[in-house]
Amino acid sequence: MWKQVSSLLWRAPVPGLSAAVTVRSTSHGPSCTVSGREWVRPSGFDTGLKTFNSLSKQKEPLILTREGVATWYSCGPTVYDHAHLGHASSYVRFDILQRILSRLFGITVIHAMVITDIDDKIIRRSWEENVSPAAVSAVYEDEFKRDMLSLKVVPPAVYLRVTENVHHIVAFIEKIIRNGHAYATKEGDVYFDIQSIGGRYGRFVGAVDPQGEPGSSNKRDPRDFALWKPSKPREPYWESPWGRGRPGWHIECSTIASSMFGGQLDIHSGGIDLAFPHHENEIAQSEAYHQCGQWANYFLHSGHLHLKGSPEKMSKSLKNYISIKDFLRSYSANEFRMFCLLSKYRSAIDYSDSSVLEARSTLDTISTFCHDAQAYMKGQLQCSHVQEDLLWSRLAETKSTVMSTLADDFDTPRAISALMNLVYHGNCQLQPVSTPAGAARSPAVFGAMVTYVRDVLDVFGIDLHTKEAEVLSSRGSLQPVVEQLTQFRSKVREFALARRDGSSTGSPSRAGLHPDRLPLLKACDALRDDLAPLGVLIKDRGATSTWEIKMSARGQGPEDKGEETSS
């Protein structure tokens, strides 16, 4: 039995969906009319955000059925092979959207995801490896979940497997048949009857492919698609009123989403390649089952990931993919998330080393600013007069811009641009001088800026707070060693920079220094330069010095670019 929640259901009083359908919300607002493929603005609670809705093909106000709660269903992976960056880009982008909704706008996201653990590809893989389909799916499901955690994707509230819901799928199909929208053939197939819903089919395409999907010659219409198909020899099967068989692909999502959320869903997400026929068929099935005019209010689709220079999307079937594991051997999860943030979630992305290095450079610029601002707050970095009022004003403007751009279809590129503009203005004020000349200090504004930058990145799933912990865990007592080394080097430099006239300006200029101490200064410079390739970066600030440790992308030790801790 399906759990029906009356406040979530939209019911159509007239069976048959080929004509206009009157739809009534049982909890909010007046009746409305859904005609053909027209999208109707739902009644409910306006979040103040706008999002591009594939159903209407334009930005729409995001209105939720329940105040402060978004029901969200997403198509999960078919677990027959390694997950790749094409998958990762879609799941990371929608993870960012869900984080924005929950952490910036206070909306509780109830996210359910299906795992397709039985289909033709899984069966073929099981034959190739001479193991059961269940063994194949178990291995790659576990790997997928670990890959998502490695990319810092928040798991859904629940993962649901197809094989554990076949009895629900059978009952779902039976009701669609009873409602007059599906039929069984003598071969044991069950097809959805496209003609029974008239002009309501084809919301995601202008003209529907008349060829439809392959199947029995006993189809009533070439466009009719399979809800149930008989199992062939050596294939797994389940008992049903139509004989032994297994579900079609599309029916699994309609059934499982309905088992979670009933007859009304706020948001459905997936890659743009799923819009037709998969999501199109989901809509047809679900609205035929629930006898409603608008099952899901918003469809959000992410753009494809392409290898730069290739017109094809990254795909396992095309063998043009990079696995998530391979990617993380060279780059970090933070860098991939920034790579995703630099483009709109519904835009196609070109993947290349240069595009990921751009993301790395963006993170490095932010990290360097945070490091320098901390050095200033500690008194280790001496600067001329800081225009404090200007920085407070820039911070307020940035906060307003970030919120408004993210409320406008989750525009992360503009939000990152606003953040980088704030960093730029902060860096303009952090110009080191040898002597501060008694200028008033303004550490509080830099503290506010660093905190805000970190908090926004944390919303996006980029965690700058744990860098020091990562360094310590990977190299134990390295941090205090670098601290002691830097202090010793600073004392040597102070001695070498002392002038013959007895003054101590802290200037590194060679004029007026003791000639016999110049080798000490050169040795200090050589030590700084030799440590840099090892990930220990020492910066001389006049007579004082600061340091930071750069982690490798794998987080296995200080080398090249990546995570950091500093002082």
Side-chain angles (χ1 to χ4, degrees), residues 412-443:
T412 58
R414 287 174 60 199
I416 292 296
S417 177
L419 214 61
M420 296 305 291
N421 189 53
L422 178 67
V423 167
Y424 166 77
H425 285 288
N427 282 332
C428 286
Q429 301 295 318
L430 288 174
Q431 299 301 316
V433 296
S434 299
T435 54
R441 301 186 69 254
S442 305

PDB file of all heavy atoms in Angstrom, residues 412-443:
ATOM      1  N   THR A 412      26.333  30.388  -9.210  1.00  0.00           N
ATOM      2  CA  THR A 412      27.601  30.281  -8.477  1.00  0.00           C
ATOM      3  C   THR A 412      28.754  31.019  -9.144  1.00  0.00           C
ATOM      4  O   THR A 412      29.618  31.551  -8.426  1.00  0.00           O
ATOM      5  CB  THR A 412      27.986  28.808  -8.252  1.00  0.00           C
ATOM      6  OG1 THR A 412      28.095  28.129  -9.522  1.00  0.00           O
ATOM      7  CG2 THR A 412      26.942  28.105  -7.387  1.00  0.00           C
ATOM      8  N   PRO A 413      28.858  31.094 -10.493  1.00  0.00           N
ATOM      9  CA  PRO A 413      29.976  31.867 -11.064  1.00  0.00           C
ATOM     10  C   PRO A 413      29.965  33.329 -10.612  1.00  0.00           C
ATOM     11  O   PRO A 413      31.022  33.887 -10.294  1.00  0.00           O
ATOM     12  CB  PRO A 413      29.749  31.747 -12.578  1.00  0.00           C
ATOM     13  CG  PRO A 413      28.960  30.509 -12.755  1.00  0.00           C
ATOM     14  CD  PRO A 413      28.075  30.430 -11.548  1.00  0.00           C
ATOM     15  N   ARG A 414      28.786  33.950 -10.565  1.00  0.00           N
ATOM     16  CA  ARG A 414      28.711  35.350 -10.114  1.00  0.00           C
ATOM     17  C   ARG A 414      29.013  35.452  -8.624  1.00  0.00           C
ATOM     18  O   ARG A 414      29.620  36.434  -8.167  1.00  0.00           O
ATOM     19  CB  ARG A 414      27.336  35.922 -10.430  1.00  0.00           C
ATOM     20  CG  ARG A 414      27.118  36.206 -11.913  1.00  0.00           C
ATOM     21  CD  ARG A 414      25.691  36.633 -12.194  1.00  0.00           C
ATOM     22  NE  ARG A 414      25.325  37.846 -11.463  1.00  0.00           N
ATOM     23  CZ  ARG A 414      24.074  38.219 -11.240  1.00  0.00           C
ATOM     24  NH1 ARG A 414      23.065  37.467 -11.655  1.00  0.00           N
ATOM     25  NH2 ARG A 414      23.819  39.327 -10.585  1.00  0.00           N
ATOM     26  N   ALA A 415      28.609  34.466  -7.846  1.00  0.00           N
ATOM     27  CA  ALA A 415      28.901  34.485  -6.413  1.00  0.00           C
ATOM     28  C   ALA A 415      30.405  34.368  -6.170  1.00  0.00           C
ATOM     29  O   ALA A 415      30.970  35.085  -5.328  1.00  0.00           O
ATOM     30  CB  ALA A 415      28.158  33.350  -5.703  1.00  0.00           C
ATOM     31  N   ILE A 416      31.075  33.480  -6.907  1.00  0.00           N
ATOM     32  CA  ILE A 416      32.526  33.342  -6.777  1.00  0.00           C
ATOM     33  C   ILE A 416      33.216  34.621  -7.245  1.00  0.00           C
ATOM     34  O   ILE A 416      34.202  35.077  -6.636  1.00  0.00           O
ATOM     35  CB  ILE A 416      33.035  32.130  -7.584  1.00  0.00           C
ATOM     36  CG1 ILE A 416      32.531  30.816  -6.957  1.00  0.00           C
ATOM     37  CG2 ILE A 416      34.564  32.119  -7.638  1.00  0.00           C
ATOM     38  CD1 ILE A 416      33.048  30.544  -5.562  1.00  0.00           C
ATOM     39  N   SER A 417      32.706  35.235  -8.299  1.00  0.00           N
ATOM     40  CA  SER A 417      33.278  36.498  -8.775  1.00  0.00           C
ATOM     41  C   SER A 417      33.189  37.577  -7.696  1.00  0.00           C
ATOM     42  O   SER A 417      34.150  38.342  -7.480  1.00  0.00           O
ATOM     43  CB  SER A 417      32.560  36.949 -10.040  1.00  0.00           C
ATOM     44  OG  SER A 417      33.046  38.193 -10.483  1.00  0.00           O
ATOM     45  N   ALA A 418      32.056  37.646  -7.004  1.00  0.00           N
ATOM     46  CA  ALA A 418      31.899  38.623  -5.919  1.00  0.00           C
ATOM     47  C   ALA A 418      32.875  38.338  -4.791  1.00  0.00           C
ATOM     48  O   ALA A 418      33.467  39.250  -4.202  1.00  0.00           O
ATOM     49  CB  ALA A 418      30.461  38.596  -5.399  1.00  0.00           C
ATOM     50  N   LEU A 419      33.071  37.053  -4.489  1.00  0.00           N
ATOM     51  CA  LEU A 419      34.011  36.664  -3.434  1.00  0.00           C
ATOM     52  C   LEU A 419      35.440  37.046  -3.815  1.00  0.00           C
ATOM     53  O   LEU A 419      36.201  37.572  -2.989  1.00  0.00           O
ATOM     54  CB  LEU A 419      33.907  35.152  -3.207  1.00  0.00           C
ATOM     55  CG  LEU A 419      34.103  34.626  -1.786  1.00  0.00           C
ATOM     56  CD1 LEU A 419      33.058  35.192  -0.841  1.00  0.00           C
ATOM     57  CD2 LEU A 419      34.027  33.094  -1.802  1.00  0.00           C
ATOM     58  N   MET A 420      35.811  36.811  -5.064  1.00  0.00           N
ATOM     59  CA  MET A 420      37.158  37.129  -5.519  1.00  0.00           C
ATOM     60  C   MET A 420      37.373  38.643  -5.562  1.00  0.00           C
ATOM     61  O   MET A 420      38.501  39.118  -5.343  1.00  0.00           O
ATOM     62  CB  MET A 420      37.407  36.517  -6.897  1.00  0.00           C
ATOM     63  CG  MET A 420      37.373  34.994  -6.910  1.00  0.00           C
ATOM     64  SD  MET A 420      38.505  34.241  -5.715  1.00  0.00           S
ATOM     65  CE  MET A 420      40.086  34.675  -6.449  1.00  0.00           C
ATOM     66  N   ASN A 421      36.330  39.397  -5.835  1.00  0.00           N
ATOM     67  CA  ASN A 421      36.443  40.856  -5.802  1.00  0.00           C
ATOM     68  C   ASN A 421      36.724  41.348  -4.386  1.00  0.00           C
ATOM     69  O   ASN A 421      37.521  42.271  -4.176  1.00  0.00           O
ATOM     70  CB  ASN A 421      35.153  41.482  -6.340  1.00  0.00           C
ATOM     71  CG  ASN A 421      35.277  42.981  -6.534  1.00  0.00           C
ATOM     72  OD1 ASN A 421      36.193  43.459  -7.188  1.00  0.00           O
ATOM     73  ND2 ASN A 421      34.333  43.725  -5.975  1.00  0.00           N
ATOM     74  N   LEU A 422      36.081  40.712  -3.406  1.00  0.00           N
ATOM     75  CA  LEU A 422      36.352  41.045  -2.002  1.00  0.00           C
ATOM     76  C   LEU A 422      37.803  40.723  -1.647  1.00  0.00           C
ATOM     77  O   LEU A 422      38.488  41.526  -0.991  1.00  0.00           O
ATOM     78  CB  LEU A 422      35.398  40.270  -1.092  1.00  0.00           C
ATOM     79  CG  LEU A 422      35.599  40.472   0.420  1.00  0.00           C
ATOM     80  CD1 LEU A 422      35.253  41.900   0.825  1.00  0.00           C
ATOM     81  CD2 LEU A 422      34.747  39.473   1.204  1.00  0.00           C
ATOM     82  N   VAL A 423      38.263  39.560  -2.089  1.00  0.00           N
ATOM     83  CA  VAL A 423      39.657  39.168  -1.842  1.00  0.00           C
ATOM     84  C   VAL A 423      40.612  40.170  -2.482  1.00  0.00           C
ATOM     85  O   VAL A 423      41.634  40.556  -1.882  1.00  0.00           O
ATOM     86  CB  VAL A 423      39.907  37.737  -2.375  1.00  0.00           C
ATOM     87  CG1 VAL A 423      41.401  37.425  -2.416  1.00  0.00           C
ATOM     88  CG2 VAL A 423      39.179  36.714  -1.516  1.00  0.00           C
ATOM     89  N   TYR A 424      40.290  40.612  -3.691  1.00  0.00           N
ATOM     90  CA  TYR A 424      41.139  41.590  -4.375  1.00  0.00           C
ATOM     91  C   TYR A 424      41.267  42.866  -3.548  1.00  0.00           C
ATOM     92  O   TYR A 424      42.377  43.389  -3.353  1.00  0.00           O
ATOM     93  CB  TYR A 424      40.555  41.909  -5.755  1.00  0.00           C
ATOM     94  CG  TYR A 424      41.152  43.133  -6.404  1.00  0.00           C
ATOM     95  CD1 TYR A 424      42.407  43.078  -7.004  1.00  0.00           C
ATOM     96  CD2 TYR A 424      40.470  44.351  -6.396  1.00  0.00           C
ATOM     97  CE1 TYR A 424      42.965  44.213  -7.589  1.00  0.00           C
ATOM     98  CE2 TYR A 424      41.015  45.479  -6.987  1.00  0.00           C
ATOM     99  CZ  TYR A 424      42.265  45.404  -7.570  1.00  0.00           C
ATOM    100  OH  TYR A 424      42.829  46.524  -8.138  1.00  0.00           O
ATOM    101  N   HIS A 425      40.148  43.394  -3.060  1.00  0.00           N
ATOM    102  CA  HIS A 425      40.204  44.630  -2.271  1.00  0.00           C
ATOM    103  C   HIS A 425      40.943  44.405  -0.952  1.00  0.00           C
ATOM    104  O   HIS A 425      41.641  45.319  -0.466  1.00  0.00           O
ATOM    105  CB  HIS A 425      38.790  45.154  -2.027  1.00  0.00           C
ATOM    106  CG  HIS A 425      38.171  45.789  -3.222  1.00  0.00           C
ATOM    107  ND1 HIS A 425      38.561  47.007  -3.710  1.00  0.00           N
ATOM    108  CD2 HIS A 425      37.192  45.350  -4.060  1.00  0.00           C
ATOM    109  CE1 HIS A 425      37.862  47.310  -4.792  1.00  0.00           C
ATOM    110  NE2 HIS A 425      37.019  46.325  -5.025  1.00  0.00           N
ATOM    111  N   GLY A 426      40.810  43.227  -0.380  1.00  0.00           N
ATOM    112  CA  GLY A 426      41.573  42.923   0.826  1.00  0.00           C
ATOM    113  C   GLY A 426      43.063  42.896   0.555  1.00  0.00           C
ATOM    114  O   GLY A 426      43.863  43.461   1.322  1.00  0.00           O
ATOM    115  N   ASN A 427      43.462  42.262  -0.559  1.00  0.00           N
ATOM    116  CA  ASN A 427      44.881  42.198  -0.908  1.00  0.00           C
ATOM    117  C   ASN A 427      45.460  43.581  -1.187  1.00  0.00           C
ATOM    118  O   ASN A 427      46.639  43.841  -0.896  1.00  0.00           O
ATOM    119  CB  ASN A 427      45.078  41.304  -2.140  1.00  0.00           C
ATOM    120  CG  ASN A 427      45.016  39.827  -1.811  1.00  0.00           C
ATOM    121  OD1 ASN A 427      45.341  39.417  -0.688  1.00  0.00           O
ATOM    122  ND2 ASN A 427      44.596  39.018  -2.766  1.00  0.00           N
ATOM    123  N   CYS A 428      44.633  44.461  -1.755  1.00  0.00           N
ATOM    124  CA  CYS A 428      45.120  45.825  -2.029  1.00  0.00           C
ATOM    125  C   CYS A 428      45.510  46.552  -0.745  1.00  0.00           C
ATOM    126  O   CYS A 428      46.373  47.452  -0.768  1.00  0.00           O
ATOM    127  CB  CYS A 428      44.035  46.629  -2.762  1.00  0.00           C
ATOM    128  SG  CYS A 428      43.803  46.167  -4.492  1.00  0.00           S
ATOM    129  N   GLN A 429      44.883  46.189   0.371  1.00  0.00           N
ATOM    130  CA  GLN A 429      45.181  46.832   1.648  1.00  0.00           C
ATOM    131  C   GLN A 429      46.300  46.124   2.414  1.00  0.00           C
ATOM    132  O   GLN A 429      46.811  46.653   3.385  1.00  0.00           O
ATOM    133  CB  GLN A 429      43.925  46.853   2.523  1.00  0.00           C
ATOM    134  CG  GLN A 429      42.738  47.589   1.905  1.00  0.00           C
ATOM    135  CD  GLN A 429      43.006  49.076   1.733  1.00  0.00           C
ATOM    136  OE1 GLN A 429      43.565  49.713   2.613  1.00  0.00           O
ATOM    137  NE2 GLN A 429      42.628  49.610   0.583  1.00  0.00           N
ATOM    138  N   LEU A 430      46.662  44.922   1.962  1.00  0.00           N
ATOM    139  CA  LEU A 430      47.691  44.144   2.672  1.00  0.00           C
ATOM    140  C   LEU A 430      49.042  44.289   1.972  1.00  0.00           C
ATOM    141  O   LEU A 430      49.697  43.300   1.641  1.00  0.00           O
ATOM    142  CB  LEU A 430      47.275  42.667   2.740  1.00  0.00           C
ATOM    143  CG  LEU A 430      46.121  42.331   3.682  1.00  0.00           C
ATOM    144  CD1 LEU A 430      45.719  40.866   3.532  1.00  0.00           C
ATOM    145  CD2 LEU A 430      46.503  42.626   5.134  1.00  0.00           C
ATOM    146  N   GLN A 431      49.446  45.520   1.749  1.00  0.00           N
ATOM    147  CA  GLN A 431      50.739  45.775   1.130  1.00  0.00           C
ATOM    148  C   GLN A 431      51.804  45.911   2.217  1.00  0.00           C
ATOM    149  O   GLN A 431      51.761  46.856   3.018  1.00  0.00           O
ATOM    150  CB  GLN A 431      50.679  47.037   0.271  1.00  0.00           C
ATOM    151  CG  GLN A 431      49.681  46.946  -0.869  1.00  0.00           C
ATOM    152  CD  GLN A 431      49.968  45.794  -1.810  1.00  0.00           C
ATOM    153  OE1 GLN A 431      51.134  45.570  -2.181  1.00  0.00           O
ATOM    154  NE2 GLN A 431      48.942  45.038  -2.176  1.00  0.00           N
ATOM    155  N   PRO A 432      52.759  44.979   2.287  1.00  0.00           N
ATOM    156  CA  PRO A 432      53.746  45.013   3.374  1.00  0.00           C
ATOM    157  C   PRO A 432      54.695  46.201   3.258  1.00  0.00           C
ATOM    158  O   PRO A 432      55.062  46.632   2.164  1.00  0.00           O
ATOM    159  CB  PRO A 432      54.501  43.692   3.205  1.00  0.00           C
ATOM    160  CG  PRO A 432      54.312  43.317   1.776  1.00  0.00           C
ATOM    161  CD  PRO A 432      52.970  43.835   1.385  1.00  0.00           C
ATOM    162  N   VAL A 433      55.065  46.750   4.414  1.00  0.00           N
ATOM    163  CA  VAL A 433      56.072  47.802   4.488  1.00  0.00           C
ATOM    164  C   VAL A 433      57.112  47.377   5.518  1.00  0.00           C
ATOM    165  O   VAL A 433      56.841  46.578   6.409  1.00  0.00           O
ATOM    166  CB  VAL A 433      55.449  49.155   4.886  1.00  0.00           C
ATOM    167  CG1 VAL A 433      54.487  49.627   3.812  1.00  0.00           C
ATOM    168  CG2 VAL A 433      54.733  49.062   6.228  1.00  0.00           C
ATOM    169  N   SER A 434      58.310  47.926   5.390  1.00  0.00           N
ATOM    170  CA  SER A 434      59.375  47.564   6.333  1.00  0.00           C
ATOM    171  C   SER A 434      59.112  48.148   7.701  1.00  0.00           C
ATOM    172  O   SER A 434      59.337  47.511   8.729  1.00  0.00           O
ATOM    173  CB  SER A 434      60.724  48.049   5.798  1.00  0.00           C
ATOM    174  OG  SER A 434      61.011  47.433   4.560  1.00  0.00           O
ATOM    175  N   THR A 435      58.620  49.386   7.739  1.00  0.00           N
ATOM    176  CA  THR A 435      58.320  50.032   9.016  1.00  0.00           C
ATOM    177  C   THR A 435      56.893  50.569   8.970  1.00  0.00           C
ATOM    178  O   THR A 435      56.510  51.269   8.022  1.00  0.00           O
ATOM    179  CB  THR A 435      59.290  51.204   9.282  1.00  0.00           C
ATOM    180  OG1 THR A 435      59.253  52.096   8.164  1.00  0.00           O
ATOM    181  CG2 THR A 435      60.705  50.682   9.489  1.00  0.00           C
ATOM    182  N   PRO A 436      56.058  50.259   9.954  1.00  0.00           N
ATOM    183  CA  PRO A 436      54.656  50.676   9.934  1.00  0.00           C
ATOM    184  C   PRO A 436      54.449  52.160  10.161  1.00  0.00           C
ATOM    185  O   PRO A 436      53.369  52.673   9.935  1.00  0.00           O
ATOM    186  CB  PRO A 436      54.042  49.866  11.078  1.00  0.00           C
ATOM    187  CG  PRO A 436      55.180  49.580  12.005  1.00  0.00           C
ATOM    188  CD  PRO A 436      56.396  49.449  11.136  1.00  0.00           C
ATOM    189  N   ALA A 437      55.443  52.879  10.617  1.00  0.00           N
ATOM    190  CA  ALA A 437      55.367  54.330  10.832  1.00  0.00           C
ATOM    191  C   ALA A 437      54.186  54.722  11.710  1.00  0.00           C
ATOM    192  O   ALA A 437      53.555  55.755  11.518  1.00  0.00           O
ATOM    193  CB  ALA A 437      55.283  55.056   9.489  1.00  0.00           C
ATOM    194  N   GLY A 438      53.891  53.871  12.677  1.00  0.00           N
ATOM    195  CA  GLY A 438      52.857  54.190  13.657  1.00  0.00           C
ATOM    196  C   GLY A 438      51.442  54.184  13.131  1.00  0.00           C
ATOM    197  O   GLY A 438      50.547  54.757  13.750  1.00  0.00           O
ATOM    198  N   ALA A 439      51.207  53.560  11.970  1.00  0.00           N
ATOM    199  CA  ALA A 439      49.853  53.541  11.407  1.00  0.00           C
ATOM    200  C   ALA A 439      48.919  52.720  12.288  1.00  0.00           C
ATOM    201  O   ALA A 439      49.306  51.684  12.838  1.00  0.00           O
ATOM    202  CB  ALA A 439      49.887  52.946   9.997  1.00  0.00           C
ATOM    203  N   ALA A 440      47.675  53.189  12.420  1.00  0.00           N
ATOM    204  CA  ALA A 440      46.684  52.456  13.211  1.00  0.00           C
ATOM    205  C   ALA A 440      46.389  51.127  12.527  1.00  0.00           C
ATOM    206  O   ALA A 440      46.331  51.048  11.297  1.00  0.00           O
ATOM    207  CB  ALA A 440      45.415  53.272  13.346  1.00  0.00           C
ATOM    208  N   ARG A 441      46.212  50.083  13.326  1.00  0.00           N
ATOM    209  CA  ARG A 441      45.945  48.755  12.780  1.00  0.00           C
ATOM    210  C   ARG A 441      44.432  48.495  12.756  1.00  0.00           C
ATOM    211  O   ARG A 441      43.689  49.046  13.555  1.00  0.00           O
ATOM    212  CB  ARG A 441      46.664  47.681  13.597  1.00  0.00           C
ATOM    213  CG  ARG A 441      48.184  47.897  13.633  1.00  0.00           C
ATOM    214  CD  ARG A 441      48.897  46.757  14.326  1.00  0.00           C
ATOM    215  NE  ARG A 441      48.842  45.531  13.534  1.00  0.00           N
ATOM    216  CZ  ARG A 441      48.074  44.490  13.807  1.00  0.00           C
ATOM    217  NH1 ARG A 441      47.272  44.519  14.867  1.00  0.00           N
ATOM    218  NH2 ARG A 441      48.071  43.410  13.042  1.00  0.00           N
ATOM    219  N   SER A 442      44.010  47.618  11.827  1.00  0.00           N
ATOM    220  CA  SER A 442      42.582  47.310  11.667  1.00  0.00           C
ATOM    221  C   SER A 442      42.384  45.799  11.514  1.00  0.00           C
ATOM    222  O   SER A 442      41.909  45.319  10.476  1.00  0.00           O
ATOM    223  CB  SER A 442      42.018  48.034  10.441  1.00  0.00           C
ATOM    224  OG  SER A 442      42.255  49.421  10.507  1.00  0.00           O
ATOM    225  N   PRO A 443      42.741  45.027  12.531  1.00  0.00           N
ATOM    226  CA  PRO A 443      42.648  43.565  12.390  1.00  0.00           C
ATOM    227  C   PRO A 443      41.214  43.040  12.326  1.00  0.00           C
ATOM    228  O   PRO A 443      40.955  42.017  11.700  1.00  0.00           O
ATOM    229  CB  PRO A 443      43.372  43.042  13.637  1.00  0.00           C
ATOM    230  CG  PRO A 443      43.294  44.158  14.630  1.00  0.00           C
ATOM    231  CD  PRO A 443      43.328  45.414  13.827  1.00  0.00           C
TER     232      PRO A 443
END
